[in-house]
Amino acid sequence: MIRELAAFSCLLLVSACGPTEPSASAQVSSTAPADQYAASACAQVARVIEDQDVRFTSNSGIAMRAVKATDPGVQEAGQRLTLVTKEAGDLFVKNDPGVDLGPTNARMAEAQRGLLSACTDLFGAQPWPFAEKSSQATSN
């Protein structure tokens, strides 16, 4: 009885010394990530990449959300996407028919992929449970 009580006390003590935050794998499997800005930006960038959408109007909101994320990788990728989005917006405003949009579109696609890579580093491989809910909400 005394040994069982001592073993139980040790287990309690050891479990109390464990980490108080959920592990990274627990955060990945969560359907509601703590960083809502990152989750929203990630879900949306995955959608625009799937749609091959490089319009600045589609990407500006994604970039703003990513910049507000708490994850430094997502923030940095969001800043790159913001710069390319601004460049594409400036070209749109100029409305010059002689401008080749190909290089700007290629930079937009590259910035999108950079953000998606940062999202994968943060949340793991797709599909993300929160992205499925986000895409259902935007399709309704």
Side-chain angles (χ1 to χ4, degrees):
M1 175 76 176
I2 294 176
R3 283 185 179 164
E4 291 172 355
L5 185 58
F8 182 72
S9 297
C10 282
L11 285 175
L12 286 177
L13 181 62
V14 168
S15 66
C17 294
T20 57
E21 295 180 12
S23 68
S25 61
Q27 290 174 347
V28 168
S29 65
S30 172
T31 57
D35 190 344
Q36 291 298 309
Y37 286 112
S40 176
C42 292
Q44 290 182 0
V45 79
R47 182 184 48 79
V48 296
I49 288 173
E50 183 179 308
D51 294 344
Q52 298 180 351
D53 185 351
V54 293
R55 294 173 299 169
F56 78 94
T57 53
S58 300
N59 288 279
S60 60
I62 297 169
M64 289 189 309
R65 285 180 190 87
V67 168
K68 291 180 181 180
T70 58
D71 180 72
V74 172
Q75 281 180 353
E76 184 180 323
Q79 290 167 351
R80 284 192 302 269
L81 185 59
T82 298
L83 293 175
V84 176
T85 301
K86 182 188 178 324
E87 178 185 339
D90 290 346
L91 287 176
F92 178 79
V93 169
K94 287 180 184 176
N95 197 23
D96 183 356
V99 172
D100 179 13
L101 297 176
T104 303
N105 290 345
R107 285 190 292 279
M108 183 74 75
E110 182 180 338
Q112 289 172 338
R113 287 190 305 271
L115 178 55
L116 186 63
S117 176
C119 293
T120 302
D121 290 346
L122 178 62
F123 295 118
Q126 293 185 60
W128 303 308
F130 59 85
E132 293 169 11
K133 290 181 180 182
S134 174
S135 65
Q136 291 171 356
T138 57
S139 66
N140 291 336

